Amino acid sequence: MNLKRAITVDDLTNFEVYSDPQLAPNGDGYAFVSTTVNADKEYESQLFYQDMKDEKIRQWTFTKGRNSHPRFSPDGTSVVFQSDRSGIPQIWRLPLGGGEAKQITTFKNGATNPAWSKDGNYIIFTASLEKDDCIHNQEEQTKEARQKEQEENNKQPKIISRLAYKSDAGGFLDEKKSQLILYNIETQQFTPLTTADADHTYQDISPNGSVLFAANLQEEADYELTNDLYTVNIYTKELTKITKEKGIYYEASFSPSGEKIACFGNDLTYASATLTELYLFDLVSGERKCLSEEWDFELGDAMIGDTRIGASEAGPIWSKDEQSIYFLGTDHGATGLYSVSVSSKLETLYKNNNHVFGFSYDMEQESFVVGISSPTEPCNYYSFKRGDEIGKLTNANATFLTEVELIEPEEIQFKAEDGWDIQGWLLRPYGFEKGKKYPFVLEIHGGPHAMYGQTFFHEIQVLAAKGYVVLYTNPRGSHGYGQEFVNACRHDYGGKDYLDVMNAVDYALENFPFIDEERLGVTGGSYGGFMTNWIVGHSNRFKAAVTQRSISNWLSFYGVSDIGYFFNKWEHGHDLLDDPEKLWEISPLKYAKNVETPLLILHGEQDFRCPIEQAEQLFVTLKHLKKEVEFVRFPGANHELSRSGDPKLRMERLNHICRWFEKYIR
């Protein structure tokens, strides 16, 4: 008999999500962000601080809205952060000795991502500016003025002259660019550090005042999907290019002396399926060294989930003696904390059957605070020191977890038809009883170069709570299993990746007799939506399907997606004009006549990654063929609907999924 209740769709409003741990300079405590859904069904993020000695947690911010990105001053007396409490993200400073937070910026388009100089005299932040904007007379608009301006802009024609003119995250792009701004705390004056007609992404600052940033400053930037690392000195304004080899570089950080830089990146050898490398730049010799050359796993956090709201540190972070670099790594359904020496010796510091989603490092005490999630624990922070046992610091979602039954997944391993090893997980339904038969839902992740694994996943738990056996796997193309594996679906969409997910169903039916083979459902989003569409066009074994933010036609995807003009070439080996027949062969729309499975189509109207015309084509074609199909459009939602979209729409989406499966397989 179950003493705890089943998790529900509405429980999205009942748990909190931690992110962005930041240890104080003295190591006595750390700040972090907690995000919840409030009574108005809106996200609310607040800053908290936990003392490492008494373990008491104190709330620092209380305003409605999103407070995030806390960064301690070098002397530990204040914290700078970003907040949209005034209506748009701006930079604020909170004195830790007492007193209210003070607003530093009033930039018209907002200000984000603050960081301190090492001497504590300056704050560097990012602002979106047009070419001739003056940073000295920036005034924040009222909510009414912003709405009026937006309404007027929406009435005006958009003149487009560049290839990358829209993005799923930013919508239609204008002439504004992300620039780095320096704020002098003593004089309260702003100074532009960058002015080029390009987006600049802050990385780090050295002890001598050199600001490290990433940007593509090439003339052919519109066609080059690469970038470079640069430094600009805050005193002399001297600009220096660091990188020589063509590639993608990000998450770069200075060594404590400022003489070296560590960063993630890759040279796109396998296009979007290229494993992330860890590079070391020696600023004295000018040489670049790849520390990860002999490794065969993904660096950083590639875990797929639907509750990881807010960014957290994945590395690389330097040790005080500059002999080690710390970072997260993705491997076989889990993420862990790793260390590498400057001579490329790899060491696993912490790895368990769970999801390390972020960490902070204290150089003086050589200790860590790590954020961990598991399928039955949304998030918590733990203290960790090399050679010691990990210690729990927080008890997040305690009430929620005492009330709600979360299902522990059972790991499965099986052989694909060609002998490749495939990993997956199966959840038994809430209230499972031996001898009963249960309906089944196959979940397929997006990407395709991402990874399911041992993290909390609200959607999957809800389906299990509704009485379904839920199976989710990492078919070839997924991260976590090496370069050959993640590259294996490129130029083969609908090939062996399709066989992998179908073999997973075969394995489940053979080894879990409580699954009712007459009541099978399938769902997935993005690439998982493509695969759902592909499955129903090539098999009738599923009795219901839900396709989300999907691809149905690679021919039109080329010209409508914010990544289509390069993604087709990267993933399929063909552009629209190279071989349209090939793209049509792997388009699910071609096989619409074969579809006999009742199909629910869910799509956000502002999805620029997989635009809604993909769903429209599929719906109209199937409806015209008098197939069993329904189409749900989510206004204002982009490609991130299921992960960070409007909470009300996220819950509506889950309700529609449950309704469809209830109708056809429950």
Side-chain angles (χ1 to χ4, degrees):
M1 179 178 178
N2 284 293
L3 299 179
K4 295 183 178 182
R5 66 173 176 84
I7 193 172
T8 67
V9 168
D10 291 345
D11 277 325
L12 183 67
T13 66
N14 291 332
F15 56 80
E16 58 182 334
V17 177
Y18 288 170
S19 62
D20 202 11
Q22 294 289 319
L23 275 158
N26 59 12
D28 289 345
Y30 66 100
F32 63 93
V33 180
S34 176
T35 301
T36 57
V37 177
N38 62 26
D40 297 323
K41 303 293 192 299
E42 297 174 339
Y43 293 117
E44 191 170 292
S45 298
Q46 304 294 354
L47 304 185
F48 289 80
Y49 175 83
Q50 183 175 35
D51 190 294
M52 299 291 279
K53 296 176 181 177
D54 60 22
E55 296 190 357
K56 289 183 178 179
I57 296 178
R58 300 171 177 83
Q59 187 169 342
W60 275 351
T61 61
F62 297 86
T63 60
K64 186 178 180 180
R66 306 291 290 271
N67 301 280
S68 61
H69 202 83
R71 296 297 183 268
F72 286 93
S73 61
D75 62 8
T77 61
S78 65
V79 165
V80 67
F81 64 100
Q82 69 183 53
S83 175
D84 64 0
R85 63 184 68 186
S86 63
I88 191 171
Q90 300 285 1
I91 308 302
W92 294 69
R93 185 184 180 190
L94 176 68
L96 299 183
E100 296 293 325
K102 178 183 177 182
Q103 186 171 353
I104 290 177
T105 64
T106 56
F107 278 53
K108 178 182 177 181
N109 303 310
T112 58
N113 301 323
W116 292 88
S117 63
K118 303 301 184 191
D119 58 13
N121 294 328
Y122 301 92
I123 294 170
I124 303 99
F125 62 90
T126 302
S128 182
L129 300 170
E130 293 189 6
K131 186 176 181 180
D132 297 323
D133 278 350
C134 176
I135 66 171
H136 303 297
N137 57 4
Q138 290 280 318
E139 292 186 9
E140 185 175 0
Q141 294 176 301
T142 64
K143 181 179 179 181
E144 293 73 22
R146 283 196 302 273
Q147 289 178 339
K148 183 177 180 180
E149 183 176 282
Q150 185 62 52
E151 290 171 0
E152 290 299 316
N153 288 339
N154 290 340
K155 297 176 184 178
Q156 302 301 318
K158 293 179 174 61
I159 302 173
I160 296 167
S161 59
R162 56 174 167 160
L163 184 59
Y165 70 92
K166 62 180 180 179
S167 78
D168 186 65
F172 288 108
L173 304 179
D174 51 28
E175 297 305 310
K176 301 183 188 72
K177 301 295 182 183
S178 296
Q179 305 291 356
L180 303 183
I181 310 298
L182 187 72
Y183 174 70
N184 186 312
I185 292 175
E186 182 180 352
T187 65
Q188 300 183 23
Q189 295 297 309
F190 297 104
T191 302
L193 293 177
T194 61
T195 57
D197 187 24
D199 289 315
H200 303 75
T201 305
Y202 174 83
Q203 306 290 302
D204 198 8
I205 185 169
S206 73
N208 72 354
S210 289
V211 172
L212 179 63
F213 67 90
N216 187 337
L217 304 183
Q218 306 304 313
E219 290 186 9
E220 293 291 297
D222 207 22
Y223 301 89
E224 290 280 351
L225 297 168
T226 57
N227 68 349
D228 287 293
L229 295 178
Y230 296 85
T231 60
V232 57
N233 191 280
I234 63 175
Y235 307 111
T236 66
K237 305 302 183 293
E238 180 183 2
L239 184 70
T240 304
K241 184 180 178 183
I242 304 299
T243 48
K244 300 173 183 177
E245 297 87 351
K246 184 170 289 189
I248 297 174
Y249 304 96
Y250 57 98
E251 303 299 334
S253 62
F254 281 109
S255 63
S257 67
E259 295 180 353
K260 297 181 176 65
I261 293 171
C263 77
F264 289 149
N266 68 71
D267 58 6
L268 295 172
T269 299
Y270 300 93
S272 49
T274 310
L275 290 184
T276 300
E277 304 286 6
L278 178 55
Y279 295 120
L280 177 63
F281 292 90
D282 189 315
L283 299 184
V284 177
S285 67
E287 295 180 354
R288 186 191 82 170
K289 178 181 179 181
C290 182
L291 297 179
S292 56
E293 191 171 5
E294 301 301 321
W295 309 345
D296 195 27
F297 72 105
E298 174 66 0
L299 310 187
D301 179 6
M303 186 80 76
I304 285 280
D306 62 354
T307 56
R308 289 285 359 122
I309 299 173
S312 294
E313 179 65 63
I317 297 295
W318 287 86
S319 64
K320 184 178 181 179
D321 62 7
E322 301 193 10
Q323 296 304 300
S324 298
I325 300 168
Y326 306 113
F327 60 94
L328 299 185
T330 297
D331 186 42
H332 286 78
T335 63
L337 178 64
Y338 296 83
S339 170
V340 62
S341 69
V342 291
S343 60
S344 298
K345 182 180 179 181
L346 180 66
E347 179 183 358
T348 302
L349 297 183
Y350 172 82
K351 184 175 183 289
N352 206 336
N353 207 18
N354 51 32
H355 175 202
V356 181
F357 61 79
F359 73 98
S360 184
Y361 173 64
D362 177 16
M363 283 188 178
E364 298 302 324
Q365 302 182 41
E366 297 189 73
S367 61
F368 300 87
V369 168
V370 294
I372 296 176
S373 174
S374 75
T376 56
E377 184 180 281
C379 59
N380 266 309
Y381 287 123
Y382 295 77
S383 61
F384 173 71
K385 198 167 185 177
R386 190 193 299 257
D388 292 345
E389 291 293 321
I390 195 166
K392 192 172 184 179
L393 293 170
T394 60
N395 195 21
N397 301 295
T399 302
F400 171 75
L401 293 175
T402 58
E403 297 175 350
V404 174
E405 182 75 19
L406 297 179
I407 311 300
E408 190 73 45
E410 302 173 41
E411 183 179 341
I412 65 170
Q413 295 274 355
F414 63 92
K415 294 284 186 182
E417 288 188 7
D418 57 0
W420 283 37
D421 292 317
I422 307 296
Q423 183 184 31
W425 295 267
L426 181 137
L427 267 64
R428 299 187 184 211
Y430 173 78
F432 175 80
E433 297 177 25
K434 289 184 178 181
K436 287 186 64 174
K437 289 279 191 178
Y438 292 93
F440 166 97
V441 174
L442 171 68
E443 287 265 7
I444 307 172
H445 70 63
H449 311 304
M451 183 187 74
Y452 274 143
Q454 295 287 60
T455 192
F456 178 69
F457 211 122
H458 182 224
E459 176 181 327
I460 289 174
Q461 290 287 343
V462 165
L463 288 172
K466 292 288 186 179
Y468 301 99
V469 178
V470 185
L471 176 66
Y472 50 108
T473 68
N474 286 324
R476 68 195 69 196
S478 305
H479 270 308
Y481 310 92
Q483 183 63 78
E484 183 180 5
F485 193 93
V486 73
N487 189 56
C489 75
R490 286 180 65 231
H491 306 180
D492 190 37
Y493 276 37
K496 290 182 179 179
D497 53 351
Y498 165 69
L499 294 178
D500 285 349
V501 296
M502 299 302 275
N503 290 165
V505 177
D506 295 336
Y507 177 89
L509 291 174
E510 181 179 342
N511 290 274
F512 300 94
F514 49 82
I515 298 173
D516 187 345
E517 62 181 350
E518 296 301 318
R519 292 188 291 165
L520 305 181
V522 60
T523 186
S526 195
Y527 164 83
F530 156 81
M531 187 55 70
T532 300
N533 297 340
W534 186 263
I535 286 172
V536 298
H538 289 78
S539 171
N540 292 326
R541 75 187 305 182
F542 295 95
K543 304 306 177 185
V546 181
T547 185
Q548 308 171 53
R549 59 190 187 282
S550 71
I551 300 108
S552 66
N553 185 352
W554 292 110
L555 292 166
S556 62
F557 181 86
Y558 167 83
V560 297
S561 169
D562 65 342
I563 63 172
Y565 59 93
F566 65 85
F567 191 85
N568 274 358
K569 188 72 172 182
W570 278 9
E571 291 294 300
H572 307 312
H574 303 283
D575 279 331
L576 176 66
L577 300 180
D578 291 342
D579 195 343
E581 291 81 8
K582 173 61 177 177
L583 293 178
W584 182 239
E585 282 294 319
I586 57 173
S587 294
L589 195 63
K590 177 181 179 180
Y591 308 96
K593 288 183 178 180
N594 302 336
V595 176
E596 299 297 334
T597 306
L599 181 66
L600 176 64
I601 303 171
L602 307 179
H603 220 108
E605 292 189 341
Q606 297 303 311
D607 189 334
F608 285 174
R609 183 59 41 84
C610 299
I612 198 168
E613 61 86 34
Q614 293 285 308
E616 292 170 334
Q617 290 186 70
L618 184 61
F619 172 74
V620 169
T621 302
L622 292 175
K623 197 68 178 177
H624 189 230
L625 292 170
K626 298 184 178 179
K627 306 290 185 177
E628 188 69 24
V629 62
E630 189 176 305
F631 183 18
V632 182
R633 305 168 64 108
F634 294 87
N638 68 2
H639 201 62
E640 293 298 307
L641 168 63
S642 67
R643 297 179 282 262
S644 60
D646 181 279
K648 295 185 289 294
L649 294 183
R650 288 180 65 184
M651 290 187 282
E652 277 295 302
R653 167 187 160 273
L654 286 173
N655 282 327
H656 281 296
I657 293 172
C658 294
R659 170 181 64 84
W660 195 255
F661 286 141
E662 177 80 19
K663 180 177 181 179
Y664 289 102
I665 64 173
R666 188 70 180 90

